[in-house]
Amino acid sequence: MKEIESFLEHLKFDLNYSDFTIKSYKQDIEGFYTFIFSQGVDITDVDVQIVRNYLSTELEKGRTKVTCCRRIAALRHFFTYLKKNSIISENVFLFITSPKKEIRYPEALYLEQIEQLFSKNKERTDDLKFRDQAIIELLYATGVRVSELVNIKLGHIDMRGRTIRVFGKGKKERLVMFSKSCQQTLMDYIRNYRDFLLEKNMLSFDVDYLFVNAQGKQLTTRGIEYILKKIQEKTAINLGLHPHMLRHSFATHLLENGADLRVIQELLGHESID
């Protein structure tokens, strides 16, 4: 559909949305198109009743209220774009109330679990432990998103000042700080194992990205998720580890130790304090 492709290009080039977010929008919009076509309805004829039927169908399929709310938000944005470009005459999603979401608190690790994770990973004997240790310590020390982590370049790091420039959603830049122990771990990785990976793959030392894979190339978000899974296997610690768990732990531990919520909001790169 031309209007879908045009909207996705608008998200990417005009609004600087991430590839992951654009993919989610695409799936949600295409799913809605599949539904209305099954009902014999064109996009220009969508009304409030059609949308309510769509939501009822989604809930009957076992979709969570969180998922339905996300889809409504994506479709509301899409329909706003369609109206602005005179493809439709009215944005019916402005009249739709999202299902009330159940409160879901972020998963976080206890400080003792964080300390055990770091300690056990250091006991590994394979070379990858240096890179993996730097990854988990930096995720916890800064609270950065995994998408921000994989895009950190050496030039973004002020090792002496223990700060990193990261670029979040919408390419918004912010400064994050890391601890002295994380500083030492990063230096060990950069000076030893990172150079080893580049030499091993006969790559130029002009490679900018901080974290590289076994082929000496930039790590991906999926690659980080795989690494965390392997860390659990190699350390025999089953924490259900994922990147956001370390981000949530960073925020939770700051809050528990008296940090101001507004400060935590800034460090996490959230526009809203909610």
Side-chain angles (χ1 to χ4, degrees), residues 63-231:
R63 309 287 190 241
T64 66
K65 290 180 180 180
V66 171
T67 297
C68 289
C69 287
R70 189 202 72 217
R71 291 182 176 172
I72 289 173
L75 290 165
R76 185 181 291 126
H77 192 174
F78 177 56
F79 270 63
T80 298
Y81 175 83
L82 295 181
K83 187 175 186 304
K84 184 178 180 180
N85 287 273
S86 303
I87 297 172
I88 59 173
S89 59
E90 186 176 44
N91 183 356
V92 297
F93 280 90
L94 295 177
F95 307 103
I96 298 297
T97 302
S98 299
K100 190 172 182 179
K101 295 184 287 186
E102 59 273 16
I103 297 176
R104 292 178 62 193
Y105 294 101
E107 292 180 272
L109 298 173
Y110 293 108
L111 182 58
E112 293 79 7
Q113 291 175 307
I114 292 286
E115 292 172 343
Q116 182 188 30
L117 174 65
F118 290 174
S119 176
K120 286 289 185 182
N121 194 69
K122 287 180 180 178
E123 294 175 6
R124 286 166 48 189
T125 57
D126 60 290
D127 290 332
L128 283 171
K129 77 172 183 179
F130 297 106
R131 180 202 62 190
D132 296 355
Q133 188 72 19
I135 287 172
I136 57 178
E137 285 200 30
L138 194 59
L139 281 171
Y140 175 67
T142 62
V144 294
R145 302 176 178 93
V146 66
S147 58
E148 296 167 345
L149 182 83
V150 298
N151 285 300
I152 293 174
K153 296 182 179 180
L154 294 177
H156 297 159
I157 306 171
D158 176 1
M159 195 65 75
R160 185 183 295 273
R162 291 191 281 117
T163 59
I164 303 175
R165 285 188 299 121
V166 297
F167 298 86
K169 293 182 177 180
K171 306 297 182 185
K172 291 182 179 178
E173 180 181 343
R174 73 181 189 282
L175 206 62
V176 297
M177 296 154 280
F178 53 91
S179 63
K180 288 183 179 179
S181 61
C182 184
Q183 177 190 44
Q184 186 59 54
T185 300
L186 279 175
M187 288 193 296
D188 289 344
Y189 160 67
I190 292 170
R191 291 171 180 171
N192 301 312
Y193 189 68
R194 185 178 180 278
D195 288 351
F196 165 74
L197 275 177
L198 298 180
E199 288 177 353
K200 175 185 174 184
N201 291 282
M202 294 181 289
L203 293 174
S204 166
F205 287 97
D206 292 336
V207 175
D208 287 337
Y209 291 102
L210 171 62
F211 291 113
V212 293
N213 60 22
Q215 288 74 48
K217 298 178 181 179
Q218 179 191 10
L219 272 174
T220 63
T221 55
R222 186 64 61 85
I224 296 291
E225 291 169 3
Y226 175 78
I227 286 169
L228 295 183
K229 180 181 178 181
K230 297 302 289 185
I231 287 174

Side-chain angles (χ1 to χ4, degrees), residues 8 11-12 15-25 147 151 168-171:
L8 297 179
L11 296 182
K12 183 176 181 67
L15 302 182
N16 291 317
Y17 278 28
S18 70
D19 291 340
F20 180 81
T21 301
I22 292 171
K23 182 181 178 181
S24 294
Y25 267 85
S147 58
N151 285 300
K169 293 182 177 180
K171 306 297 182 185

Side-chain angles (χ1 to χ4, degrees), residues 232-249:
Q232 292 189 109
E233 293 178 5
K234 293 175 180 178
T235 59
I237 298 178
N238 185 19
L239 298 171
L241 201 60
H242 57 80
H244 254 60
M245 183 179 285
L246 291 169
R247 176 171 162 85
H248 294 154
S249 301

